[in-house]
Amino acid sequence: MGEKQLKKKIIIDREWCKGCRICVAFCPKKVLVLDEEDKACWKNSEDCINCGLCELRCPDLAIEMA
Amino acid sequence: MGEKQLKKKIIIDREWCKGCRICVAFCPKKVLVLDEEDKACWKNSEDCINCGLCELRCPDLAIEMA
Amino acid sequence: MQTKGIVFSGSGGQGVITASIIMAEAAVIREGLNAVQTQVYGPEARGGATRADIIISDQLIHYPKVINPHVLVCLTQEAYGKFSGIVRPGGLLLMDPHFVRSAHKVNARQVELNMYKGVMERIGKPIVFNICMLGALISMTGLLKAESIISVLKTKIAPEFIELNRAALELGLELGSNSE
Amino acid sequence: MQTKGIVFSGSGGQGVITASIIMAEAAVIREGLNAVQTQVYGPEARGGATRADIIISDQLIHYPKVINPHVLVCLTQEAYGKFSGIVRPGGLLLMDPHFVRSAHKVNARQVELNMYKGVMERIGKPIVFNICMLGALISMTGLLKAESIISVLKTKIAPEFIELNRAALELGLELGSNSE
Amino acid sequence: MESTVKFLQGSETVVEGALYAGLQFYAGYPITPSTEISEILSERLPLAGGKFIQMEDEIASICSIIGSSLTGSKVMTATSGPGFSLMQEGIGYAIMAEIPLVLVNVQRVGPSTGAPTAVAQGDVMQARWGTHGEHAIFCLTASNLQDLFRLTIEAFNLAETYRSPVILILDEIVAHMREKVIVPEAGEIEVVERLHTSVPEGTEYHPYLPREDGRLPMSDFGGKHRYNVTGLIHDMWGFPSNDSKVAYDLLRHLVDKIEHRADSLAQYKEYFTDDAEDLLISYGSSARSALHMVERCRQRGMSVGLLELQSLWPFPKETVKSKCEGRNHVLVVEMNTGQISKEVSQASSEPDKVYLANRFDGAFISPEDIMQILNTVQGKGI
Amino acid sequence: MESTVKFLQGSETVVEGALYAGLQFYAGYPITPSTEISEILSERLPLAGGKFIQMEDEIASICSIIGSSLTGSKVMTATSGPGFSLMQEGIGYAIMAEIPLVLVNVQRVGPSTGAPTAVAQGDVMQARWGTHGEHAIFCLTASNLQDLFRLTIEAFNLAETYRSPVILILDEIVAHMREKVIVPEAGEIEVVERLHTSVPEGTEYHPYLPREDGRLPMSDFGGKHRYNVTGLIHDMWGFPSNDSKVAYDLLRHLVDKIEHRADSLAQYKEYFTDDAEDLLISYGSSARSALHMVERCRQRGMSVGLLELQSLWPFPKETVKSKCEGRNHVLVVEMNTGQISKEVSQASSEPDKVYLANRFDGAFISPEDIMQILNTVQGKGI
Amino acid sequence: MSVKDYIRQRFFPHIWCAGCGHGIVMSNMIRAIDQLGMAKNEVVVVSGIGCSSRITGYLDFHTLHTIHGRALAFATGVKISRPDLTVLVPMGDGDALSIGGNHFIHAARRNIDITAIIMNNSIYGMTGGQHSPTTPFGMKATTATCGTIDNEFDIVNLALGVGASFVARTTTYHPKEVSDILKKAIVHKGFSVVEVMSQCPTYYGRKNNMGYAVDLMTYYKEKTTPMGSKRKQEDPKLIERGIFMEESRPEYAHLCTLTDQRQT
Amino acid sequence: MSVKDYIRQRFFPHIWCAGCGHGIVMSNMIRAIDQLGMAKNEVVVVSGIGCSSRITGYLDFHTLHTIHGRALAFATGVKISRPDLTVLVPMGDGDALSIGGNHFIHAARRNIDITAIIMNNSIYGMTGGQHSPTTPFGMKATTATCGTIDNEFDIVNLALGVGASFVARTTTYHPKEVSDILKKAIVHKGFSVVEVMSQCPTYYGRKNNMGYAVDLMTYYKEKTTPMGSKRKQEDPKLIERGIFMEESRPEYAHLCTLTDQRQT
Ligand SMILES: Cc1ncc(C[n+]2csc(CCOP(=O)(O)OP(=O)(O)O)c2C)c(N)n1
Ligand SMILES: Cc1ncc(C[n+]2csc(CCOP(=O)(O)OP(=O)(O)O)c2C)c(N)n1
Ligand code: SF4
Ligand code: SF4
Ligand code: SF4
Ligand code: SF4
Ligand code: SF4
Ligand code: SF4
Ligand SMILES: [Mg+2]
Ligand SMILES: [Mg+2]
């Protein structure tokens, strides 16, 4: 399986994100961080394995994979 | 054990008895009957083994052993 | 017709409530009259004395209770003790000696009919005792036609029991007419 | 003393409610004045903008809300947007540039004090920011004595935290007096 | 179905009326003296294609009929005093969310368990004010079974027309007595059906936006419009709002839709009122005794009349006021310590002419009871 | 304990008052805006030797305090709108069985869930009529915390003296505002203790036989007299009775012990009423706005006064009537659609001079709101 | 003392129908109390509304006849305020488990020292024979004339599921078991649930053509068996009698007396 | 469809606090519905009052936001009248089991086809952090500042004891488990109980010094284990996750549709 093709992007809705840090803490690859405004953002995007856990665990429906 | 001495009498309160027949039906020795006014009374008193079940089962507290 | 007040009194198992409903219903449905039926409703109803009031009239009936009945039926000693005094002077007081021993005279026609005994002897089913009582009552008062009672009964009970009830009613009619 | 209306506005975590209670309590218990404190109470309170009203007077206070405050403190941009218009002409509007960028001029003395920055630099505990704000406020208005605030604080917090709060209060007093 | 003459009990009459009106869902919890309604419906309703359920308590009963009503069913529950108290929170919800439902309360002597089998009319004010917060309510009653049949249908019609709970308040005498009822053929009495929105799928539907005529068309749960229903102050979409303008409009609407129609919708009957010097005002079984007495008085040359109220809430103040005009005495006959009497005093322009003829001891008020009080009021002593 | 100056929240003030009065058992279920009372008592009451329990719901809360009261404790619960509706059955029981208890209802906007955090005074009529059956009740309220402290104690005193539930009805503003309260030393305010029977063991004790002064001495459960308590109509021993004479006497007693004292027990305050041409009548937080306005009017030469009611039920009809006498206008200020205003109209000999100044949208009524309505009533427009 | 010393004799004969099991429960409840040697002034009996609940009128203890379904909530107030008193709460199946279900599960959860006695006749007797939450599926009642479609609770399972620390079942056919179990239940420090299957010949028996009191009690005899008996293994449909749970755990009213100390 | 197609976007960001578990439950409940391919018009969501109950405002189904504790009773009316609709009832622990306990046990007893989702944060969130019937013994809350003396319900045991025919538990740390279990629960014809342990950092976390959302979810990760796992055997204090009961039994709303036929 060509890894590259599979890879979806993580889209974070900054309006909806409340900075709870759940996605950050539980990302298996530590891909996400909170920025200075306490909003989640994709940092080490290349490490993302598209496990989707951040999307499933975000309490604010602020993460979508596409 | 002298059987005679042990034997207590069954006292039936006719005012309280409602004639439900419970004592009659479940007396192991068939000692009790309902009279023509549908009140329980001691018939074959000599057969009574003083088991006390009639007293314990009478819903109307109408039977006392003494 | 003049407004008539009737009171049935007795104990739970005697079917006095049922009898009162049948009577009132017959008046309304079969004879085109007005009738109101009420009953004592209360803790007393369990076990103790029951009472049903019926008013029959060709006028509208407002106040639904009977104060001084034209006809009073007493079917237990307790009911007799409690209610015999209310019968209207000149009215009818009907009793069954199987249940009631009359104690004092009232200012009314006091009739004792051996209805229970009759039912047990002729029919053997105590359950239709109340219908026999109805028969006696209508025969003595002419308040309703026997057929009205029967036709109401037909709407209430299974067909196989109609004959039983008819027999009881007829027994009552007979006892009632003999009483005169 | 003339009746003074004060409004603190900000967001949940900033301690504006606590500050308002401490201030009003100090007025009552330590300075023998009357004071009434109320706060916005509602679903908004969770997360959104909070507001506390204080009235201080030597008279009895009846209507407990402040319509046009003599002193308005705004500690979030949202609060500033919502409330800055209500400050009484000639009153005092206090803000912290760390939280609020002033947008328009109001008909009042508008003072921006770097309280948050000061607290973080000098004390390092954001939790006492509200006490610093109180210090600035009383130094600019002379409404209450600093000791009154401290002595109320002593009844509310563990002894080990008193010095922290005193430092914050003094920082505020200093910032406030510098602002003149 | 042709018109038929029946000999019915009060409870049966309510059932007949409800079925005539198209009852589809009933939930209840037994309580004396209203249990017969449940018992009869447990057999009759399934046969008529409806659903019956006995719930775990009265709270569950009213809640479940609200749920059912939202699916488009005509719904009812029945209870008595203690159960009525327990239903108050649910009634408030139905008022707020504007849910059509009929609640039958067969009164008994209270407060508390009181005298479960004895007659009383002590829940009249509770019917008006039993739930918390500002509100208004419809409440009907009847004294005879023919009227009861009609008014049961009217209760459903009001519920549907005004999207409101309607309380049918009865007493033990009316609920348990039996008399003649002519059940008319279908169509003879108007039955108001659920007003469904005509808004097509995909177009925005506003469950709480009144039409020009004030009615609010509904959309069934499970149907083509998805919306929200809540007991919170809400906007026209049914979503919670903290705006005080929204609160004002909603509460004004909830009160006015009912109170403004107090006289235009008033149901009442008059007997010998035209020339009556003394006017009795009564309702429920008390009105039977009152009417009995009035007829007797008339036979004896006394100029007495009766106004029988069938709408208790909203109270038809103007109607009552005009009927009281110019009487020597107004005697309110009821079985409580003067719940409607107080309303009559307030309506009347001469409150000091308003008297109370009552009993509240569980005994049925008799024509004699009333006569004695009328005599006393007239200064004649008993 | 010496008299101390405190700066308290309304809820804390209720707690202080209750503890001063000797509260021993509290049961509650959290609900906005009354939760603080539970929260504070959960800490304070055990420290004062009392017992606190959070029950599974409001029904259980009121029932458990009744149980506790019978053991001799002074008891209280607190709730708001929806919980108050749920407690109605229990209130009726306490009325019938004559159980001393205090129930605090901090009102919020209703009906139903309404606006939980917004101010309203919409439960006043419910406090009077919320439970089924004929009854009467005590209901007090307050506008400032010093009075609230005193009236909380008064609520316990009434409960003990008259063996009745007493409702202390507050609103969100009063419950949540903070101001100065002087807590007097013990003994300064009279505290009525449970009146215990002096009947010795072995002699027959009648729990429901009033003494000459009308009071009914109690005997604690677990104590030397065994008797029965029931919500049924009961005789002087507390046993169920079907006798209508017993029913009459009991219900007459339950209503009269309260209603006959409407004016003698009335709690109210007057401000500038002596010469006032226009009289405002208000209560709770509305009275604060009214008083503010009155003071301002006086400063500007307008002859306006305020009657602040603290006893709402039994309604002090004669008191209000005499205070209304000879005014140009009477303006009832409240946050509902006129619940007390209607009582005032009925009390007044000139009901057409009674007007309503209100809000019911969850916003706190302001002096300006009242002023505009007074202007309008005076014919001056807003 | 004799049973009659514990009752208010002036109200006898009692109101219950001929053959009603509730009288048997009362009689043997008294025997249990007598055998425990408790003083009458130490016992509080709290009941709700129902035929069963009329029991409070007859018993010469401190008696509290409350409202339908809420007896345990009233009793909780009594017990917390007077932990030294013995609090017994006899209830009907409707009272305890229909309208009163919530108070039941919460009293059990708290493990408050109250003995709940469920006089289970599988019917609403007082109101005339409607089905109750313990009416077995398919049985008849006035609101289920063709048989109820509601499943019934198994009271023992329910009590175990919500954490009662003493759970037992017996029947009116087994009066000595009633008093023996009740003695243990009363002595047990914690929430005790005792189900006593108690016949209602008037409604349950009649509606279901099951005959009179004697027939219903015979049914209890035949269809029940001691816990874990051989008969049960042979016929798993039999209903087990006995004590299903008896465990010592911290008791609520006692914990309540400690809260002030814990805080300081 | 995407998750956003099932919500009323104009009300977002939602009212729940940062890190509140209720959002995770909602998100994965939507995923379950989406994966089942259900039409939005076929789903009715009924809730009570509480933070959890605000869910109805956000979901684009037929939504009924009722009163505290009574959601299942409302839902029963909906389901019986429209057995063809899917009825979901998300509830708080207080809503479901404190004030609402009675409706819960009776809905379970009847086995009506409703999916009850208990968003269990062991606290009354909405009213500011009072202890609930699932607050573990000894934990703190605003009405139990020294730790509650109330025992907690075990929701699974309770549901089993009252006869629920589908019973499961999971946590917000296990979002896929949430949607997988919910799919089965929704498809199950009968009363389904799904407990989802759902953090309330604002009150439960803060009062108990347990940290923020991440800490609470870590706790769920560490203190729970799949049913019957080896870890459980080693550490019996662990809370089990999984499906504890899944049994096909006659369903109530369906039986209701048959009653007319049974009578004739
Ligand atoms: C709030 C309320 N609802 C309903 C009733 C009517 N009611 C009285 S007793 C009872 C049920 C009785 O059944 P159960 O508890 O099993 O006792 P039993 O009579 O069978 O002994 C009912 C429904 C009531 N008194 N109060
Ligand atoms: C009858 C009634 N009582 C009390 C309340 C107050 N109240 C609202 S939500 C709630 C509890 C919320 O807890 P839970 O159900 O666990 O939901 P959460 O907020 O924790 O999600 C309470 C007590 C109410 N609204 N109605
Ligand atoms: S989980 Fe969601 S809300 Fe929390 S930080 Fe990540 S994106 Fe933001
Ligand atoms: S998809 Fe998985 S790996 Fe990628 S950011 Fe989300 S949690 Fe991390
Ligand atoms: S004691 Fe036993 S043997 Fe004797 S009469 Fe009673 S039941 Fe029969
Ligand atoms: S058991 Fe009691 S009531 Fe029944 S017949 Fe025997 S003595 Fe009479
Ligand atoms: S109706 Fe049933 S439960 Fe009630 S007294 Fe009669 S037999 Fe007992
Ligand atoms: S208070 Fe708790 S339950 Fe409520 S939204 Fe906040 S975190 Fe969630
Ligand atoms: Mg029962
Ligand atoms: Mg919760």
Side-chain angles (χ1 to χ4, degrees), chain D residues 8-18 44-52 73-80 83 99-100 129-130:
Chain D
F8 292 174
S9 63
S11 81
Q14 292 173 316
V16 296
I17 305 286
T18 315
E44 312 98 287
R46 183 170 302 149
T50 47
R51 168 179 167 167
V73 180
C74 293
L75 297 175
T76 63
Q77 197 65 37
E78 190 186 343
Y80 175 75
F83 300 121
F99 299 113
V100 183
F129 164 70
N130 58 345

Side-chain angles (χ1 to χ4, degrees), chain H residues 2 42 57 61 90 93 121 125 127 144-145 167 172 183 208 212 217 226 249 252:
Chain H
S2 120
E42 283 166 14
F61 302 112
D93 42 319
N121 55 13
T127 43
T145 46
V167 180
T172 51
K183 276 189 282 182
N208 289 293
Y212 298 99
M217 288 172 74
R249 302 192 206 136
Y252 194 80

Side-chain angles (χ1 to χ4, degrees), chain E residues 85 114 132 134 231 337 342 346, chain F residues 85 114 132-134 231 337 342 346:
Chain E
S85 288
H132 64 279
E134 200 55 60
T337 67
K342 201 172 163 194
Q346 190 151 48
Chain F
S85 288
H132 63 278
E134 201 55 60
T337 67
K342 202 174 161 193
Q346 190 150 46

